[in-house]
Amino acid sequence: MSNEPNYQELAQKAISQPLVTHIYTADPSAHVFDGKLYIYPSHDIDAGIPFNDNGDHFGMEDYHVLSVNDQLEATDHGVALHVKDVPWASRQMWAPDAAEKSGKYYFYFPARDHEQMFRIGVAVGDSPVGPFIAQPDYIKGSYSIDPAVFKDEDGSYYMYVGGIWGGQLQQYRDHEWNAKHELPAKEEPALRPYVAKLSDDMLEFAEPPRYVDILDENGDLLLEGDNDRRFFEASWVHKYNGKYYFSYSTGDTHYICYAIGDSPYGPFTYAGRILEPVIGWTSHHSIAEWKGKWWLFYHDSVLSEGVTHLRSVKMAEIRYDAAGRIETLKPYS
């Protein structure tokens, strides 16, 4: 008897269906601009690159923007930015994000520069769906992957960045790169993402990056060996009832987890899981309030029958209990 999953059965049991099926999309960053829901995903393609732990088979070249109507029907607004239009970038247009300020839209994205180091770039447009015009160089001081931008209630914007393995975070210490650096020992504190407030023009860091502390129930940093809880990639921050929720992927254990704090800088104390593992290796998400409900945006590889680099964006409602804890979702009920 085959151990191969029945993908048709999984699709029927899934708590949500793909928002689009004509292209593969992943890593959805969702925002509400002027009351309308927009999603900024990666655009998965089959680049014909062999699989490896550095993620070279994720060979994405461009970005599309999706909008979603009240019936949860998505519209693909076409190519918003292509790697060939980014002077400093060479390949791998991975998980992006976006922000709005004073009627301008800022699109943030990771890519490898011409020395094959991941950096964070920014492109600017007059519409939430693009097109976006890339700045000539990446953000000074930026490194690694998965930028996520949070706008606080005082109008400040913060960017959270980082991902290990292919995201190169393990090669940095104190924000300095060294090829000799590797992952910490399992009994040592896990690597952390970093955060920096953005400048008034939204194009640079306004301050030196600082690390985001994720603590256990005893107030200690999560350890590298705590694979079910430690940070791997996919930062996201949202605010609920006056608290800051920092959520992220555990990578090789495939959970979306979250931690709660009192400041956008943290520290954040681990609080639980938002999403159990999906079909496909990666798990990457965002959270947004829309139409009076809270939504989780995520992806899986059911549509591609398990091809881990051909994913599909989905959305599902999330709920909080009286204590502000997020009820864990199982993607296939």
Side-chain angles (χ1 to χ4, degrees):
M1 181 178 294
S2 173
N3 292 323
E4 184 74 11
N6 185 324
Y7 292 104
Q8 184 174 0
E9 187 176 290
L10 279 171
Q12 293 171 345
K13 290 183 176 180
I15 59 173
S16 60
Q17 296 302 311
L19 287 173
V20 294
T21 58
H22 66 291
I23 60 174
Y24 288 108
T25 53
D27 312 320
S29 292
H31 292 277
V32 177
F33 297 134
D34 292 328
K36 190 169 184 178
L37 177 62
Y38 297 92
I39 300 174
Y40 300 86
S42 304
H43 175 204
D44 281 352
I45 61 172
D46 191 349
I49 299 170
F51 286 50
N52 60 40
D53 284 343
N54 284 328
D56 289 321
H57 47 293
F58 294 97
M60 299 88 96
E61 298 176 345
D62 64 15
Y63 296 103
H64 290 227
V65 179
L66 309 178
S67 63
V68 180
N69 65 19
D70 292 354
Q71 289 73 47
L72 304 188
E73 299 167 335
T75 298
D76 174 8
H77 294 274
V79 175
L81 182 68
H82 195 283
V83 67
K84 65 179 175 59
D85 298 318
V86 182
W88 61 266
S90 64
R91 62 187 179 102
Q92 290 187 296
M93 307 289 273
W94 283 8
D97 197 12
E100 182 275 337
K101 183 177 182 181
S102 302
K104 289 285 187 181
Y105 296 88
Y106 299 86
F107 185 78
Y108 301 95
F109 59 96
R112 289 185 188 264
D113 65 17
H114 295 289
E115 285 71 49
Q116 301 307 304
M117 301 299 294
F118 268 111
R119 306 292 183 180
I120 307 302
V122 57
V124 185
D126 295 318
S127 164
V129 300
F132 299 105
I133 305 301
Q135 295 294 295
D137 205 354
Y138 54 78
I139 295 174
K140 292 189 294 290
S142 69
Y143 61 92
S144 196
I145 60 170
D146 293 354
V149 176
F150 168 70
K151 180 184 179 182
D152 209 349
E153 292 165 351
D154 65 357
S156 298
Y157 293 79
Y158 300 85
M159 180 183 288
Y160 302 81
V161 186
I164 63 175
W165 294 13
Q168 302 177 336
L169 190 65
Q170 69 276 7
Q171 295 177 317
Y172 288 85
R173 298 293 187 275
D174 296 323
H175 311 292
E176 296 291 334
W177 178 83
N178 188 320
K180 296 180 180 179
H181 288 319
E182 298 179 354
L183 290 173
K186 293 188 179 300
E187 66 275 10
E188 295 178 337
L191 294 175
R192 295 162 290 169
Y194 68 86
V195 58
K197 184 181 287 189
L198 290 175
S199 59
D200 288 341
D201 64 7
M202 303 291 282
L203 302 179
E204 299 288 350
F205 293 154
E207 60 187 5
R210 62 181 81 179
Y211 288 116
V212 177
D213 289 346
I214 308 172
L215 310 178
D216 66 14
E217 61 278 9
N218 299 315
D220 298 320
L221 289 170
L222 293 180
L223 301 182
E224 174 62 26
D226 192 353
N227 291 59
D228 286 349
R229 298 194 298 176
R230 65 90 174 87
F231 173 84
F232 187 102
E233 62 186 357
S235 301
W236 189 260
V237 171
H238 74 282
K239 201 169 185 179
Y240 177 79
N241 281 354
K243 295 287 187 178
Y244 296 87
Y245 287 63
F246 179 83
S247 47
Y248 57 96
S249 171
T250 62
D252 54 351
T253 50
H254 318 296
Y255 299 116
I256 297 295
C257 294
Y258 72 106
I260 301 175
D262 295 316
S263 163
Y265 292 114
F268 300 96
T269 300
Y270 181 86
R273 296 176 186 167
I274 301 173
L275 184 67
E276 295 290 319
V278 298
I279 297 297
W281 197 93
T282 68
S283 199
H284 192 123
H285 72 298
S286 61
I287 296 170
E289 186 179 17
W290 181 61
K291 300 294 182 181
K293 298 180 179 181
W294 285 92
W295 300 89
L296 175 73
F297 302 83
Y298 68 103
H299 65 237
D300 70 14
S301 296
V302 171
L303 183 64
S304 67
E305 298 189 346
V307 180
T308 198
H309 61 285
L310 297 178
R311 301 159 292 181
S312 300
V313 164
K314 299 182 170 186
M315 61 184 289
E317 186 180 355
I318 58 172
R319 293 180 172 86
Y320 303 82
D321 66 17
R325 298 297 180 100
I326 299 173
E327 298 177 9
T328 305
L329 290 175
K330 295 182 179 181
Y332 315 104
S333 56

